[in-house]
Amino acid sequence: MPTAIRTAHAPAAVGPYSQGVSTGEGSGSLVFVSGQVALDPATGALVDGGVQAQAEQALTNVGAILAEAGLGMDDVVKTTVLLADIADFAAVNEVYARFFTGGVLPARAAFGVAALPLGAEVEIEAIAVRP
């Protein structure tokens, strides 16, 4: 039975969805982290500072949801990166590389999209597996 993951250390969902969902507690079960934009969980506002600052906050939010599930960035097996401007790919990659440093990096897809929620410049979702 799936269970919702909720933490005050990441922004609350801004719609009818969960911050994350776990398929179980055993080895091999999956944790799906909903797309995270650069909302500061303390203020509920988008962080200032451009796409790199937004990528940093989005990945920090992903990490907080994973931590609530007892996991870390090294447990991530797949991410999706959505960019309001695909020209920001290299800038976001610089930040992304600081968060994913394990021996096996997650599979990833990156897309340029017409717009993101709340005017964000980047949104990142993740799938992790329990060891």
Side-chain angles (χ1 to χ4, degrees):
M1 183 68 133
T3 58
I5 300 166
R6 294 180 190 91
T7 178
H9 300 290
V14 295
Y17 61 90
S18 298
Q19 289 173 316
V21 173
S22 177
T23 64
E25 296 298 320
S27 177
S29 60
L30 300 174
V31 171
F32 296 87
V33 177
S34 291
Q36 296 297 303
V37 296
L39 292 177
D40 179 332
T43 66
L46 279 174
V47 298
D48 292 326
V51 71
Q52 286 190 314
Q54 286 198 15
E56 178 101 18
Q57 185 63 55
L59 287 163
T60 297
N61 294 343
V62 168
I65 295 165
L66 290 170
E68 184 67 22
L71 299 172
M73 297 304 248
D74 286 346
D75 299 307
V76 174
V77 295
K78 171 73 168 75
T79 63
T80 304
V81 179
L82 305 170
L83 298 162
D85 184 348
I86 197 67
D88 289 331
F89 181 82
V92 170
N93 231 18
E94 288 179 26
V95 176
Y96 185 96
R98 291 197 308 265
F99 282 81
F100 296 104
T101 60
V104 177
L105 299 174
R108 180 179 78 180
F111 300 94
V113 298
L116 291 168
L118 307 174
E121 296 179 56
V122 61
E123 180 174 357
I124 301 171
E125 67 175 13
I127 302 169
V129 63
R130 293 188 188 278

